[in-house]
């Protein structure tokens, strides 16, 4: 299990799934040969993030931040028992909650749940099926939704046909009185705050953790794959505003490449995190190795 120390804080990865992904799922018209060509120009991408066959090594994970009395779960993956149009995500019956508990994070202890945005693979474990109803998985937590993001998806169709992640994973939280609608620069406490990173979705945020002079950023989906560090102009086909997401990356990466900020990629394969170093027009993710 991966975890990182950031001053007094610890960030732990609870992985729900890890799969080689076809590039066409994320980047329209990009084939495996195109991915291998990008990896030739940025050799650090292989083998951790690009397989020898040109698949993208991706994971779906929840990142749990421990800082003093706070236990903040960032992004809640796909979830079990949900009707989803993607066969890989439909009616999952996985051990995520057991894994989380075994890691020392009993769901009842979570103080805050953050969804960087309200896409299907970031809200799933907000709820779980109890006696045929969607009940909050983290009954003692405040769930923080960015107001702009919440209003957008309340009126918008789901990303994929035939599923309703808002209805089964967001609305029940509001009905249970556990939701707080917040601004995109919200500060949870000293040391944990949001950074507005719109474009992938209208109210998308990344999460900044600062403690004792150390800093980490949990990206969310302002980028999906480390290829977008090497080429910050590359936008995913799921970005609601590809130009805005490009501008967000161009604005964020130079600031994050300060030599001390640990960048943790929400969908990046292992090792998942590193520090940014400028390389030409883009960046390399440099990971500490044991
Ligand atoms: Zn995602």
């Amino acid at each position: 299990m991966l975890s990182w120390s950031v001053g007094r804080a610890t960030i732990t990865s609870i992985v729900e799934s890890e799969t080689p992904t076809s590039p066409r799922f994320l980047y329209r018209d990009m084939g495996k040969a195109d991915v291998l060509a990008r990896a030739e120009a940025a050799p650090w991408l292989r083998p951790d993030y690009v397989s020898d066959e040109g698949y993208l090594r991706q994971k779906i994970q929840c990142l749990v931040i421990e800082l003093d009395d706070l236990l903040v779960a960032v992004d809640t993956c796909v979830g079990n028992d949900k009707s989803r149009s993607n066969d890989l995500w439909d009616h999952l019956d996985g051990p995520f909650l057991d894994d989380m508990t075994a890691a020392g994070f009993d769901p009842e202890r979570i103080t805050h749940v953050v969804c960087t945005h309200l896409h299907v693979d970031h809200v799933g474990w907000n709820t779980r099926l109890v006696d045929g109803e969607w009940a909050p998985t983290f009954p003692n937590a405040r769930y923080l939704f960015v107001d702009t993001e919440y209003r957008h998806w309340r009126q918008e169709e789901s990303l994929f046909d035939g599923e309703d992640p808002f209805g089964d994973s967001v609305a029940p939280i509001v009905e249970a009185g556990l939701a707080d609608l917040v601004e995109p620069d919200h500060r949870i406490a000293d040391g944990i705050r949001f950074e507005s990173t719109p474009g992938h979705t209208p109210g998308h945020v990344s999460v900044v953790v600062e403690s004792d002079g150390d800093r980490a950023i949990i990206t969310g989906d302002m980028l999906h794959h480390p290829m977008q560090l090497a080429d910050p102009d590359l936008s995913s086909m799921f970005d609601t505003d590809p130009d805005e997401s490009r501008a967000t990356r161009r604005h964020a990466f130079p600031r994050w490449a300060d030599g001390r900020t640990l960048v943790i990629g929400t969908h990046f394969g292992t090792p998942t995190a590193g520090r940014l170093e400028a390389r030409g027009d883009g960046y390399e993710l440099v990971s500490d190795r044991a």
Side-chain angles (χ1 to χ4, degrees), residues 117 119 121-122 200 221 224 267:
H117 62 299
H119 275 167
D121 53 323
H122 296 260
H200 178 57
D221 288 5
H224 285 85
H267 285 310

Side-chain angles (χ1 to χ4, degrees), residues 214-217 255-263 274-276:
D214 286 349
R215 183 193 295 140
I217 304 266
R255 289 181 296 110
W256 296 357
D258 61 357
R260 71 184 187 104
T261 298
L262 183 72
V263 175
R275 288 176 173 77
L276 299 189

Side-chain angles (χ1 to χ4, degrees), residues 27-192:
Y27 308 101
R28 204 184 309 274
D29 301 330
M30 190 188 291
K32 295 194 274 282
D34 302 311
V35 172
L36 290 173
R38 285 173 179 272
E40 205 158 307
W44 60 272
L45 290 168
R46 274 173 82 177
D48 293 334
Y49 301 116
V50 168
S51 77
D52 289 346
E53 300 78 28
Y55 284 95
L56 308 180
R57 296 191 190 276
Q58 300 285 96
K59 63 175 75 159
I60 296 178
Q61 64 184 329
C62 172
L63 293 157
V64 180
I65 306 166
E66 296 174 84
L67 177 59
D68 302 329
D69 299 340
L70 301 177
L71 217 45
V72 181
V74 180
D75 286 333
T76 61
C77 309
V78 173
N80 277 0
D81 300 308
K82 308 237 152 139
S83 286
R84 296 295 182 244
S85 44
N86 182 336
D87 285 343
L88 285 175
W89 296 348
D90 186 42
H91 288 93
L92 290 187
D93 181 20
F96 174 86
L97 222 48
D98 292 337
D99 291 348
M100 192 175 197
T101 305
F105 309 123
D106 188 311
E108 312 228 324
R109 289 181 57 222
I110 298 291
T111 60
H112 298 80
V113 175
V114 171
C115 299
T116 59
H117 62 299
L118 298 183
H119 275 167
V120 54
D121 53 323
H122 296 260
V123 300
W125 279 107
N126 284 359
T127 59
R128 58 180 171 152
L129 200 55
V130 179
D131 300 330
E133 308 271 342
W134 295 115
T137 306
F138 308 102
N140 299 313
R142 298 308 300 176
Y143 287 66
L144 308 178
F145 302 134
V146 171
D147 191 51
T148 324
E149 183 75 6
Y150 174 80
R151 288 177 199 286
H152 176 80
W153 292 108
R154 194 176 54 172
Q155 63 190 29
E156 201 68 23
E157 291 292 310
S158 167
L159 199 57
F160 303 106
D161 289 339
E163 61 181 36
D164 183 16
F166 189 92
D168 58 42
S169 303
V170 178
I173 300 304
V174 177
E175 282 154 26
L178 298 183
D180 292 326
L181 299 181
V182 301
E183 294 302 309
D185 60 353
H186 182 70
R187 174 177 291 271
I188 297 178
D190 273 353
I192 309 179

